Amino acid sequence: MKLKVMRLILFLSFLFIQSALFGQILDPVKWRYKMDHDGGRQYTLIFEAKIDEGWTVYSQYLEEDGPIPTSINFEPEDGFKKLGDAEELGAKKEGYDEFFGIDVTKYTSDQPFIIKQKIKVDKDTDLISGYLTYMACDKEKCLPPSDVDFRFEVGNEDVVVEGEVLENDDEESGMVDPVQWAFQIEKKKDKYILKYEADIEEGWTVYSQFSSDDGPIPTSINYETEGIVVIDNKEKGKSKKGPDPL
């Protein structure tokens, strides 16, 4: 196994142990987004990250074998066309990264990290949606990659805001984040127990891993490291079974 991958595993394990000991959820990056109408069927999607002091977020444009790059993932991928590569703005820092042993590009807390992607939508497209993936690190640890869902209604004036910089408060930005996850790891002889705990806001629900393929996207745990064998997988919590009106 490559040394760089081993380093990442050690950093994530350190975070899991911290969560188990102190019960805290680290959330050093707050994302919000908007869409500007450039005229006709052309739009600019704008994603802005407010980064806590001491933390960094990695660029979209990184070499392989390093940290997880920030990425914008569209679902579905049709109904529009990207106009060039996404533009990045912010307090950029380039150079050697001791965590991963390669040169990287990352953005610090000195300024908001902004991504702008120009698109042209098809005439029948009225919705652009997907998720943004990012990874945050400070001088001592890296957090597991996180996803932020986004949704743009094409032609809806409520989400088309003029101007270069987001001016809305987080509560008014259209972002909804009703679930916070914490992670723990416990060693049992030659095995490990990984625990993923979700704090769900009142009125919201999260779907089981064992949901039908014909329904909502189930919760899933996806390991990108070789050498892991899942022995057992259990869920605990207040469950609710039955027809779902959605």
Side-chain angles (χ1 to χ4, degrees):
M1 185 178 294
K2 294 182 179 181
L3 177 60
K4 297 168 187 176
V5 176
M6 287 298 296
R7 286 177 177 171
L8 179 56
I9 294 173
L10 290 174
F11 296 149
L12 297 184
S13 297
F14 177 70
L15 172 64
F16 295 160
I17 293 171
Q18 278 194 322
S19 297
L21 292 177
F22 303 106
Q24 64 183 24
I25 300 175
L26 298 177
D27 188 20
V29 184
K30 302 292 189 303
W31 286 91
R32 52 186 185 175
Y33 56 86
K34 73 168 185 175
M35 177 173 64
D36 281 351
H37 188 191
D38 300 332
R41 291 187 281 116
Q42 295 188 16
Y43 297 84
T44 299
L45 309 182
I46 303 174
F47 304 84
E48 179 187 296
K50 183 179 180 182
I51 307 170
D52 288 352
E53 185 176 358
W55 289 84
T56 58
V57 174
Y58 290 94
S59 169
Q60 303 168 94
Y61 309 113
L62 300 178
E63 298 179 8
E64 296 182 357
D65 299 327
I68 303 296
T70 300
S71 62
I72 301 172
N73 310 284
F74 295 95
E75 294 183 337
E77 297 182 353
D78 55 2
F80 70 96
K81 178 183 178 181
K82 293 182 182 179
L83 302 178
D85 294 331
E87 178 186 8
E88 296 183 344
L89 304 171
K92 183 166 64 174
K93 185 176 181 181
E94 298 177 292
Y96 185 78
D97 191 303
E98 294 183 357
F99 278 179
F100 300 97
I102 63 172
D103 289 337
V104 302
T105 300
K106 54 189 176 183
Y107 290 85
T108 71
S109 60
D110 295 339
Q111 298 175 21
F113 173 34
I114 299 174
I115 299 174
K116 295 184 177 183
Q117 176 65 64
K118 292 184 176 295
I119 64 170
K120 182 177 182 179
V121 301
D122 296 345
K123 62 179 181 179
D124 297 326
T125 298
D126 57 9
L127 179 66
I128 301 293
S129 62
Y131 62 94
L132 180 148
T133 299
Y134 72 98
M135 182 175 180
C137 299
D138 66 6
K139 293 182 179 180
E140 299 178 347
K141 56 190 171 296
C142 290
L143 300 184
S146 298
D147 293 336
V148 177
D149 293 331
F150 61 82
R151 176 186 176 95
F152 299 102
E153 296 181 19
V154 177
N156 184 344
E157 295 300 325
D158 290 339
V159 296
V160 179
V161 183
E162 298 297 334
E164 290 293 325
V165 181
L166 287 165
E167 298 178 352
N168 295 335
D169 294 330
D170 288 342
E171 297 179 354
E172 300 175 349
S173 64
M175 292 286 294
V176 178
D177 190 18
V179 183
Q180 298 292 328
W181 286 91
F183 310 89
Q184 299 180 12
I185 185 170
E186 179 182 356
K187 186 173 183 180
K188 292 278 189 172
K189 296 183 179 180
D190 60 341
K191 303 178 179 65
Y192 291 87
I193 297 176
L194 304 181
K195 181 179 179 182
Y196 308 84
E197 181 176 337
D199 184 9
I200 307 172
E201 291 183 7
E202 183 178 358
W204 290 85
T205 58
V206 174
Y207 289 95
S208 168
Q209 304 168 91
F210 312 115
S211 301
S212 169
D213 293 337
D214 297 328
I217 297 176
T219 300
S220 64
I221 303 172
N222 308 289
Y223 299 99
E224 297 181 349
T225 302
E226 297 178 357
I228 293 178
V229 177
V230 178
I231 300 173
D232 194 11
N233 188 358
K234 296 181 180 179
E235 297 180 342
K236 293 183 179 180
K238 184 177 181 181
S239 64
K240 183 178 181 180
K241 298 180 181 181
D244 192 311
L246 293 179

